Amino acid sequence: MDSTNGTNKKIIMGMIVLAISGVLLGSVVGYFITHKIVEDTVLKQMIKEGYVNTADATATSEDIVFGKTAYVNGELVNGSAIMFDTSDATATSEVILQGKTAYVNGELVVGTLPVIYGQTVTPSAQATTITGNAYLKDDLIIKGDRNLLPENIKKGIKIFNVVGRFEREKQDD
């Protein structure tokens, strides 16, 4: 005889003793004695043998790791939660694009890195600043000018690192 049949017989015998004691002792006294017997014998034996009351369990499949199972309210529930170990992640909000999220060390991190969309810069007398510490999403175009040649710039003058060599011819008066 295996231990499961022996356990089941013990549980059945415990239930029979409870029923008989309830009838013989009356309702109030029988209830307290029956409750004590159940607690001391039947429930302890059930727990010892692996029987567990899951009536107050509240887990859902999303709370249980994928590939694992659990009993909730007497029903077998298959886990669907996919867990990732992010303990070795090193990203910070400053290197994650603005509005995007990631998990770092199990914590949700919201990105703050600004995005620069492509633009065209035309050289002028004033400096144009493209803000650093940002992600350049599209092409940045710096306009050129085919006339920006040394022979078109007065000698000794430097424009955008092009040194002029144009000399005006002297006119006779």
Side-chain angles (χ1 to χ4, degrees), residues 43 46-47 50-57 71 73-74:
L43 289 177
M46 288 175 75
I47 290 170
Y51 294 95
V52 178
N53 180 5
T54 64
D56 61 346
Y71 282 92
N73 293 321

Side-chain angles (χ1 to χ4, degrees), residues 148-163:
L148 186 60
L149 301 170
E151 57 268 16
N152 294 336
I153 302 171
K154 183 178 175 182
K155 185 175 183 172
I157 302 295
K158 185 189 231 181
I159 298 177
F160 298 115
N161 286 330
V162 178
V163 179

Side-chain angles (χ1 to χ4, degrees), residues 42-113:
V42 177
L43 289 177
K44 285 182 182 176
Q45 184 64 34
M46 288 175 75
I47 290 170
K48 180 180 172 187
E49 296 297 325
Y51 294 95
V52 178
N53 180 5
T54 64
D56 61 346
T58 60
T60 65
S61 65
E62 293 83 17
D63 299 324
I64 303 166
V65 175
F66 180 77
K68 302 292 182 177
T69 59
Y71 282 92
V72 178
N73 293 321
E75 306 233 350
L76 181 66
V77 176
N78 293 307
S80 64
I82 301 191
M83 306 304 262
F84 294 101
D85 179 10
T86 63
S87 63
D88 60 349
T90 60
T92 61
S93 63
E94 294 83 20
V95 298
I96 300 171
L97 289 181
Q98 191 170 25
K100 302 295 182 181
T101 59
Y103 283 92
V104 178
N105 291 320
E107 298 289 325
L108 181 65
V109 177
V110 179
T112 59
L113 181 68

Side-chain angles (χ1 to χ4, degrees), residues 131-148:
T131 305
N133 293 325
Y135 173 74
L136 182 60
K137 174 118 174 98
D138 296 311
D139 293 339
L140 177 64
I141 300 168
I142 310 293
K143 284 192 163 191
D145 189 325
R146 64 175 169 236
N147 291 317
L148 186 60

